[in-house]
Amino acid sequence: MKLSRRVSWFLLAFGVWSWFIWITFVKNLWNDGSGLAFDDAGDPTAYFWVHLLLAVTSFVLGTGIGVLGLRGVRAARHGNG
């Protein structure tokens, strides 16, 4: 399958954006002071674990999408795409 240059750049940008957004989210989750992510004893709550799982899943998907975009960009630069 060949990706256009525009689609390749979009996928690469999506992967980078995904990492940026979810790293920010995990930092905010880790520093949560509202009582949602950690209980009074400082232990992680179900809210924390669910959202951490969402973030990890998004890291994996964002990485995969970004890698596809990077491969497409490289192929387009070398005249293969």
Side-chain angles (χ1 to χ4, degrees), residues 3-4 6 8 16 18 27 39 46 52 56 77 79:
L3 298 174
S4 71
R6 182 176 291 169
S8 296
V16 171
S18 180
K27 284 180 183 178
D39 62 17
L52 185 62
V56 169
R77 284 190 177 165

Side-chain angles (χ1 to χ4, degrees), residues 14-15 18-19 22 52-65:
F14 179 87
S18 180
W19 269 83
W22 286 101
L52 185 62
L53 179 63
L54 286 171
V56 169
T57 301
S58 294
F59 285 139
V60 171
L61 293 174
T63 300
I65 290 168

Side-chain angles (χ1 to χ4, degrees), residues 29 45-55:
L29 181 66
T45 63
Y47 177 90
F48 174 85
W49 292 114
V50 166
H51 286 83
L52 185 62
L53 179 63
L54 286 171

Side-chain angles (χ1 to χ4, degrees):
M1 178 170 114
K2 292 184 180 182
L3 298 174
S4 71
R5 187 175 304 216
R6 182 176 291 169
V7 169
S8 296
W9 277 108
F10 175 79
L11 294 176
L12 180 58
F14 179 87
V16 171
W17 177 255
S18 180
W19 269 83
F20 174 76
I21 290 298
W22 286 101
I23 285 174
T24 303
F25 181 83
V26 168
K27 284 180 183 178
N28 291 338
L29 181 66
W30 192 264
N31 295 323
D32 178 61
S34 71
L36 288 173
F38 299 96
D39 62 17
D40 293 335
D43 296 324
T45 63
Y47 177 90
F48 174 85
W49 292 114
V50 166
H51 286 83
L52 185 62
L53 179 63
L54 286 171
V56 169
T57 301
S58 294
F59 285 139
V60 171
L61 293 174
T63 300
I65 290 168
V67 167
L68 287 175
L70 181 61
R71 288 181 180 177
V73 168
R74 286 183 176 169
R77 284 190 177 165
H78 291 100
N80 298 331

